[in-house]
Amino acid sequence: MAFFLQKSSLANHFRSSYQKTEGSLAAPTRALHVEPGARERALLAEDPSLKRFKSYKKSVWRLKRIADVLTVVVVAGCCYEIYVKAVMREEARNQAKAAGGSE
């Protein structure tokens, strides 16, 4: 694991970014919080004309939930079919053994 950390470019990137900020008096990457101005508040305010387009979120959530349930049902059905085939094959083997051994 240590070998991969030494050789990976991701580790080198983290190491180099740490060395840059450690030795220098670099400004922090996050700026100080500033209250939004009038324009920003107007852009962030809720627009009543766009309200009708936001209604799709609930239907998308419902559709995802239905898809998840259907996926679970299909996977369970496949597992059940595999189980039934395995049990039937085992019973056929046992019957073949019983029929072959009794003769």
Side-chain angles (χ1 to χ4, degrees):
M1 183 72 174
F3 173 76
F4 289 114
L5 288 176
Q6 289 174 353
K7 298 295 182 187
S8 72
S9 61
L10 185 63
N12 290 335
H13 170 73
F14 285 131
R15 204 174 297 123
S16 65
S17 66
Y18 176 73
Q19 289 170 354
K20 286 179 196 171
T21 59
E22 184 182 26
S24 64
L25 295 175
T29 55
R30 297 181 108 191
L32 296 175
H33 177 69
V34 179
E35 290 296 322
R39 185 167 188 266
E40 287 87 2
R41 282 195 205 110
L43 288 171
L44 292 173
E46 227 176 275
D47 191 358
S49 63
L50 297 176
K51 195 82 160 163
R52 65 185 175 132
F53 296 111
K54 292 186 180 182
S55 65
Y56 74 93
K57 287 183 181 177
K58 196 164 200 167
S59 61
V60 168
W61 176 82
R62 190 175 295 135
L63 187 63
K64 283 182 182 179
R65 178 61 64 106
I66 291 170
D68 290 344
V69 169
L70 285 176
T71 302
V72 168
V73 167
V74 167
V75 168
C78 291
C79 291
Y80 178 74
E81 287 293 323
I82 291 170
Y83 170 76
V84 167
K85 283 191 181 245
V87 168
M88 296 296 279
R89 185 176 295 158
E90 189 66 30
E91 287 179 4
R93 279 188 195 144
N94 289 341
Q95 287 177 355
K97 265 188 193 176
S102 64
E103 290 181 23

